[in-house]
Amino acid sequence: MVAAATLQPAHAEDPSLVLDRIRDSGVLKFPVITGEEPSYIKDPQTGEWSGFYVEWGEEIADILGVDLEFVETTWGNLAADFQSQKVDIAIGLNPNPQRGLVVDYTTTPLFYGPWTIVAKKGFEKTSWAELNDPSVRLAVQKGSTMQVVAEALTPKAEIIVVGTRPLGVLEINSGRADAMLLASFDAIQVAPEVEGDVFVPTPALTNTAVIGVRREAGNAGWINWLENWTSQQRSLGLAQGKLAKSFEDAGLDMSVLPGDFSF
């Protein structure tokens, strides 16, 4: 009997610990990032946030019966923000093994998007093989999946790492970079700022946008709840509809994407 007792776990982990903590606190801590329109939009007059990531955060908070608390950050700082408990959730992440040491990802994609290049007019290197050339100066955001992709597929290029998307725009406009690697809707948003073109390098590569939460004991129920929410968003076409409306409202021309592409 003694031997059998020692084989029993001291206690079973409660999978609802994190979900219950968030609901009991009354607050869902949510990261927002400047210069990332149309996913995050900050009104310069009021300081209020909008954008489709923010709308999704508000929907999740509303279902949970809590307030959404905004935490300004950058993509590169997200892992540290999770570790320091500054944020509870981040939407639109690309699974990243390095960040995955401290972040758990949902497995159901909220949406898909091709990796896209924005460049000054006249830039003619349109394949990954052509971009992988010492003459190419390619800007990427620090700590982003774009940096991982660029370092893997274009190691011969001069990779210019910047802290934010606006700094990447500055690199192109100043002539220090030829192009910038971005998610499709970000590239289309940036193109007018550099008076440039947008194209999907061949062969087209798709990035998967999921949700990230802090890795900690008791988060299984939180992840399961988010999986259910994401599954409904996709199966009912809610996610795709929100993206299409957001792009239309922002005046983004998505015709540059492959004809058979679907979010």
Side-chain angles (χ1 to χ4, degrees), residues 6-247:
T6 59
L7 294 176
Q8 298 298 317
H11 62 277
E13 181 181 290
D14 182 356
S16 297
L17 280 175
V18 173
L19 185 55
D20 288 345
R21 184 190 70 214
I22 292 171
R23 300 186 71 186
D24 290 342
S25 73
V27 171
L28 179 65
K29 292 176 285 188
F30 188 83
V32 286
I33 302 174
T34 57
E36 291 288 325
E37 298 83 359
S39 48
Y40 300 101
I41 305 171
K42 186 176 184 180
D43 188 313
Q45 302 300 322
T46 65
E48 294 182 355
W49 286 92
S50 60
F52 57 84
Y53 284 161
V54 174
E55 290 177 14
W56 274 321
E58 290 171 340
E59 290 176 17
I60 291 172
D62 185 60
I63 297 172
L64 296 179
V66 300
D67 294 327
L68 198 63
E69 179 181 294
F70 297 126
V71 179
E72 290 197 34
T73 186
T74 66
W75 292 118
N77 285 338
L78 267 181
D81 292 335
F82 275 116
Q83 284 185 296
S84 61
Q85 302 185 9
K86 289 182 178 179
V87 298
D88 297 312
I89 183 176
I91 298 178
L93 299 185
N94 308 120
N96 179 315
Q98 187 63 36
R99 189 190 293 138
L101 295 173
V102 297
V103 175
D104 283 331
Y105 297 105
T106 55
T107 56
T108 303
L110 186 54
F111 63 90
Y112 301 92
W115 291 119
T116 312
I117 290 290
V118 58
K120 282 287 191 181
K121 292 185 181 299
F123 186 78
E124 298 180 347
K125 298 180 183 298
T126 59
S127 70
W128 292 108
E130 291 172 334
L131 290 168
N132 187 31
D133 186 283
S135 67
V136 174
R137 299 168 298 172
L138 185 60
V140 296
Q141 289 171 256
K142 181 179 181 180
S144 68
T145 305
M146 288 82 79
Q147 183 178 355
V148 176
V149 172
E151 291 174 348
L153 295 180
T154 62
K156 295 180 181 178
E158 180 183 349
I159 298 174
I160 302 170
V161 181
V162 296
T164 65
R165 196 172 81 190
L167 288 177
V169 171
L170 182 61
E171 291 296 304
I172 295 176
N173 283 334
S174 66
R176 292 189 293 268
D178 302 305
M180 189 174 183
L181 175 61
L182 292 161
S184 55
F185 45 84
D186 293 334
I188 295 169
Q189 179 83 22
V190 163
E193 300 177 37
V194 300
E195 298 180 351
D197 293 323
V198 175
F199 60 90
V200 177
T202 55
L205 298 177
T206 300
N207 71 80
T208 302
V210 298
I211 297 175
V213 301
R214 182 167 52 254
R215 174 165 298 157
E216 58 183 318
N219 72 358
W222 178 215
I223 294 172
N224 182 69
W225 187 90
L226 291 170
E227 287 280 1
N228 292 335
W229 178 83
T230 302
S231 179
Q232 184 188 59
Q233 290 288 312
R234 285 206 62 80
S235 64
L236 299 183
L238 303 177
Q240 299 91 324
K242 182 181 291 297
L243 288 171
K245 184 179 186 304
S246 296
F247 300 149

